[in-house]
Amino acid sequence: MTNSIEELHNNRRTQRGFAMKRCVKMLAAAVSAVMLFPVCAVPAHAEGSIEDVCDAIREIGYPEECVKTFMNEYETRPHDENGMYVGEDYWEYIDLAENIIIFRDLIDGKLAAFMGVSPEAVKTADPSAFVSLLPLLTNAAPAATTAPAAAVTDENGQTVSQTTVTTVSGSEAPVTTAVTNGGTHTKEQEAAFVNMTLEEKQAFISSLPEDQRAAYFAGLTPAERKSLLKQISKDAQADILKDFVEAGETFGMHVSIDKIGDGQIDFSVRDSDGTLIDSTSFGSKVDDTGWDMTLPVIGSAGTILLSIGGFGWTAYRANKRREEVLNGEN
Amino acid sequence: MAKTKDTNQEAQKRSGALGYFLTPILLLALCGGLAVLCYSLAPAHDVQRYLNLAFMDTLKVTSTTSGLNIRHRDIKTDDQNTTEDKPKLQEGKINYPTFGEQYAKLEAKSINLMVGVYYGVNSELLSRGACQSTQSAIFGTVGNHIIDAHVNTFFAELHNLAVGDTVTMYTDYGKFTYEVTEKIEFNKNDKKYVGVTKDDVLTLYTCAPQVIGSSDTRIGVRCALKEKEFYEPLES
């Protein structure tokens, strides 16, 4: 491996900087939510390692199956302790990881735009500016009280003010209640957001003060991103998919979307020579391992029945002719 | 009277000719229908073998998927790679496969099964053998090794595997022996058995047999690793 990687190093082209169209094949597979989580944009090791790339893949919400596919492919490509070859180009792990995170931001921007929030504002927003509110969704009869909850202190000893808002009655309208943790995107917040319908998510985002809407998107968790991506319109999903496909093209990775449906996206990836590198789907997949034999079975059964019927008819005619001959002689 | 007799004889000749003409056609249709029915219901790969012999392999389908590079490794399924004197290596070098490469052979003696395993899944590879998902662990590493095949062909007898049966995976870098621990059945939308695991397990599945239509149910087995043997040590 060392010899081959040295030879490749002699001919390599290293491209640095943000290159949106730089995409390893698994990026094209991901139409999952890309989460902006700036804390994790910093690789664990200063020099970068393959684990940093895997962590970046997980950060943007890719399932573990995608990480496994990536590692399987990684083992077949020339690599060393600092980087690996993607196509003909050598990429250092730290650059790969950073570009994955940057690519995630692009998706976050599109999601924000879909929800009526400026993508530019999301880029510059501070996720910690979002004061976590815990939306409580209920199908029960409306509550009429609006008594403020008791004040609670956060981990820094600061008192976090709370407001309780009770909205109009009806099972469709969300009831929001502030939480007291002083943080952003708590587990409760995440669970509540994930469980919302798209309309409820839009209502929730709209209910936030304007300065906090972008902050919310700047702090999306992978689960929140995933849930949003599944719910946005087909046109919006196709737009995000198009970005993934175009991203692969620049690096000689030709991605083709084979099938979208049943909550699954099947795609194929080919290299610059046209060699099929992978044919898989985003997320784990149960394959179709049975042929539909309805037509051959019914067709053959029908043919057999017709044949037997034909024999019967032929025998009947022959018998009738024999009788006619006999009657004619008599 | 004589004229009527002549007309009748003419009519009889024509109807007799019709019988002579129809009989071979009906016979051909009957035999063809029976052949198609047998091909539909029987494991197709067995029939295909004889068809290949009869037609001098001209029925073998060359790769039709654009860019699919199908390759076969030389994999020995006996113990030629190891001797009793050599200690069995528990860790060793792994030759990672690429998409479309037959890099393993699966053997289950209890159901008389021996089938090549391709890395990657698509319709063309499924028609040639069993396929391993690219999202699963390569043999020799720890994780869920997911292999599926058509119920109409190679995995027609998979449902006959019982708990305790042995399944052996042969590769050109090692031999891995598994034991069936449970029989599984799940809906195609249930991803429980095809996800990543921390343990070394082998998951084999196929569609539930169904004559008319295709089934949404998958059946198979889960196996635990019993023994592993690498042929070459890890590079220092």
Side-chain angles (χ1 to χ4, degrees), chain A residues 177-199:
Chain A
T177 306
V179 292
T180 61
N181 52 19
T184 60
H185 298 273
T186 61
K187 286 293 177 192
E188 293 80 9
Q189 172 74 48
E190 178 186 86
F193 189 82
V194 167
N195 290 328
M196 288 185 202
T197 63
L198 183 62
E199 290 72 28

Side-chain angles (χ1 to χ4, degrees), chain A residues 9-28:
Chain A
H9 276 317
N10 291 334
N11 298 323
R12 77 171 192 199
R13 290 181 288 121
T14 303
Q15 298 184 13
R16 286 190 171 271
F18 171 59
M20 273 176 42
K21 294 186 180 176
R22 281 278 188 179
C23 182
V24 295
K25 64 178 178 66
M26 72 294 298
L27 293 182

Side-chain angles (χ1 to χ4, degrees), chain A residues 125-187:
Chain A
D126 177 8
S128 62
F130 169 66
V131 177
S132 181
L133 296 176
L134 180 64
L136 298 176
L137 306 177
T138 175
N139 291 325
T145 57
T146 55
V152 177
T153 56
D154 64 9
E155 57 192 15
N156 298 323
Q158 301 290 327
T159 300
V160 179
S161 61
Q162 299 183 87
T163 56
T164 302
V165 176
T166 304
T167 58
V168 180
S169 64
S171 60
E172 297 172 357
V175 175
T176 59
T177 306
V179 292
T180 61
N181 52 19
T184 60
H185 298 273
T186 61
K187 286 293 177 192

